Amino acid sequence: MADSSFDIVSKVERQEVDNALNQASREISQRYDFKNVGASIAWSGERIEMRANSEERVKAILDVFQSKLVKRGISLKALDAGEPQASGKEYKIFASLQEGISQENAKKVAKIIRDEGPKGVKAQVQGDELRVTSKSRDDLQAVIALIKGKDLDFAVQFVNYR
């Protein structure tokens, strides 16, 4: 019988982020506490730019955006938001999306699987993802539960389960 496997990846659905951004933009344009403060949120190349005329307002915009991301099922660990920066009379926050598992994070996850996972489960790094294989599907389910239980500092998804 062939080995069963799945991949551990860290990807973000760009369309869902776009939808969350549009929802946040709509809410910001309608909310009373954002009137006349120059509040806006929009794509700026590959980053997301939030701007308002005070540091508190720009942090509130980030909060609205984060709540929209959570409602659309996107982990906040994938969002890398910077600190508010003064730019003339307004404040800006730039946020970027983190995708892919770095080599060191992949090695950490592989070590967790080796040390705490069931015997006979192999994990190998393949570019920016991690392939986990085993003869037993139950062992793979146990590995998924183990990784979900860990508080990793990056978002993970499990794909290509076969």
Side-chain angles (χ1 to χ4, degrees), residues 2-7 131-132 134 137 140 159-162:
D3 286 359
S4 299
S5 69
F6 69 88
D7 295 334
R131 165 88 28 104
V132 181
S134 173
R137 287 182 171 224
L140 292 180
V159 297
N160 296 339
Y161 187 84
R162 23 186 122 136

Side-chain angles (χ1 to χ4, degrees), residues 24-130:
S25 178
R26 211 171 305 121
E27 181 173 325
I28 289 164
S29 69
Q30 293 173 351
R31 269 182 39 182
Y32 178 75
D33 57 334
F34 288 119
K35 293 282 187 238
N36 301 323
V37 295
S40 69
I41 180 171
W43 286 105
S44 173
E46 283 297 307
R47 302 187 304 176
I48 298 161
E49 179 182 2
M50 293 157 262
R51 51 173 68 191
N53 66 0
S54 73
E55 192 170 341
E56 292 77 33
R57 288 292 109 214
V58 80
K59 284 182 178 176
I61 293 171
L62 177 61
D63 191 46
V64 168
F65 182 54
Q66 287 176 334
S67 71
K68 299 300 178 190
L69 285 174
V70 168
K71 284 182 183 171
R72 300 202 73 77
I74 297 171
S75 173
L76 293 181
K77 292 178 181 176
L79 183 72
D80 182 25
E83 289 298 310
Q85 303 166 339
S87 171
K89 291 184 178 178
E90 63 183 10
Y91 285 83
K92 293 181 182 179
I93 293 180
F94 289 103
S96 59
L97 299 170
Q98 295 178 327
E99 290 194 301
I101 301 175
S102 68
Q103 287 292 327
E104 63 184 52
N105 285 337
K107 287 178 183 172
K108 283 183 197 171
V109 174
K111 183 168 172 32
I112 290 170
I113 293 170
R114 236 186 356 263
D115 296 347
E116 302 175 33
K119 296 291 174 232
V121 175
K122 295 184 220 49
Q124 61 196 59
V125 180
Q126 294 182 334
D128 61 351
E129 54 186 47
L130 194 71

Side-chain angles (χ1 to χ4, degrees), residues 117-156:
K119 296 291 174 232
V121 175
K122 295 184 220 49
Q124 61 196 59
V125 180
Q126 294 182 334
D128 61 351
E129 54 186 47
L130 194 71
R131 165 88 28 104
V132 181
T133 57
S134 173
K135 296 230 180 280
S136 164
R137 287 182 171 224
D138 291 341
D139 288 351
L140 292 180
Q141 294 285 350
V143 169
I144 290 175
L146 172 71
I147 299 300
K148 281 184 177 176
K150 294 290 177 190
D151 185 28
L152 302 171
D153 54 348
F154 56 96
V156 294

